[in-house]
Amino acid sequence: MKNLLFTNWHTMRWVRLAFSLFLFVQAVTTKEWFFIAFGLFFLFQVVFNLGCGPNDCSIPNTKYSKK
């Protein structure tokens, strides 16, 4: 878990962290509590490094041959 959290920090991961913090601040200042759910969604992506990263959501272009 420690390795997952402290390695492989790319630009999109920083953007998600900033956006989740922004949503938490907005939830508190405007008292619109549904923003917390969206903030948690992006924070979950940051902690577990899920979603599109530096590879732009591309699918590997490898072909497997059947033998």
Side-chain angles (χ1 to χ4, degrees):
M1 181 69 177
K2 185 177 178 181
N3 188 29
L4 179 67
L5 188 59
F6 292 116
T7 58
N8 198 17
W9 279 83
H10 45 80
T11 307
M12 269 315 291
R13 201 166 174 187
W14 284 106
V15 169
R16 284 188 206 111
L17 179 64
F19 192 59
S20 68
L21 293 175
F22 169 75
L23 288 172
F24 287 135
V25 169
Q26 282 297 101
V28 171
T29 57
T30 62
K31 296 183 180 154
E32 297 289 338
W33 304 114
F34 66 91
F35 285 132
I36 291 178
F38 295 115
L40 286 174
F41 171 73
F42 286 107
L43 188 64
F44 181 79
Q45 285 186 335
V46 168
V47 169
F48 294 106
N49 197 18
L50 299 174
C52 299
N55 296 332
D56 299 326
C57 295
S58 62
I59 298 172
N61 198 7
T62 58
K63 294 185 179 182
Y64 298 102
S65 61
K66 293 183 180 179
K67 289 184 179 183

